[in-house]
Amino acid sequence: MKIFIRVMKALSDPNRVKMMKMLQQRPLCVCEIKECLGIAQSTASKHLKILEDADLVRSFKDGLWVNYSLSDGSGSPFAASMIGNLKHWLDNDAQIQRLNNILPGIDRHNIVGKG
């Protein structure tokens, strides 16, 4: 039951659900996620850690970047089920549609150039 509760708690926050929906589009780094959601980088990192601990996302290095993508869910049948279902859920939600519209214009190289 512990693994089930971890997955459900991970998906109980709206920003984490938004992150999951964004990661359906493409792998993203923390700076792209925080830019899209308008949250602090530390907050985005904490959310991603919770999603990773629930086996909903995975991280991988790409040079200097740490990218996040959806997990394959192989570590948890609960995570696998939720990842699969989320692909079909919330696509008509206004907040998700807004994210899907702005995500193509979010580029880590432009974000880093701002700072």
Side-chain angles (χ1 to χ4, degrees):
M1 185 183 302
K2 203 178 274 188
I3 296 169
F4 173 77
I5 298 299
R6 185 178 301 134
V7 171
M8 295 300 112
K9 282 185 177 181
L11 292 172
S12 69
D13 183 275
N15 278 327
R16 292 194 288 264
V17 172
K18 291 174 189 174
M19 289 176 178
M20 294 290 293
K21 295 300 287 182
M22 291 165 50
L23 292 170
Q24 288 176 359
Q25 305 301 316
R26 63 181 166 100
L28 299 165
C29 68
V30 176
C31 67
E32 291 169 320
I33 291 170
K34 71 108 181 161
E35 185 80 9
C36 203
L37 293 176
I39 60 176
Q41 188 159 336
S42 60
T43 301
S45 293
K46 287 176 190 173
H47 284 311
L48 287 163
K49 177 70 172 139
I50 291 167
L51 291 170
E52 195 169 25
D53 288 346
D55 196 37
L56 293 163
V57 302
R58 66 181 188 94
S59 61
F60 58 97
K61 286 279 282 177
D62 179 19
L64 297 174
W65 304 100
V66 176
N67 291 312
Y68 290 85
S69 66
L70 293 180
S71 168
D72 63 5
S74 61
S76 162
F78 308 115
S81 179
M82 293 308 292
I83 291 165
N85 284 322
L86 273 171
K87 288 182 180 176
H88 307 287
W89 292 342
L90 302 172
D91 288 338
N92 294 325
D93 180 83
Q95 293 177 54
I96 300 302
Q97 288 178 341
R98 184 188 72 76
L99 289 172
N100 286 339
N101 288 335
I102 65 173
L103 190 57
I106 301 292
D107 183 308
R108 64 186 68 189
H109 299 99
N110 295 334
I111 296 167
V112 171
K114 285 182 185 177

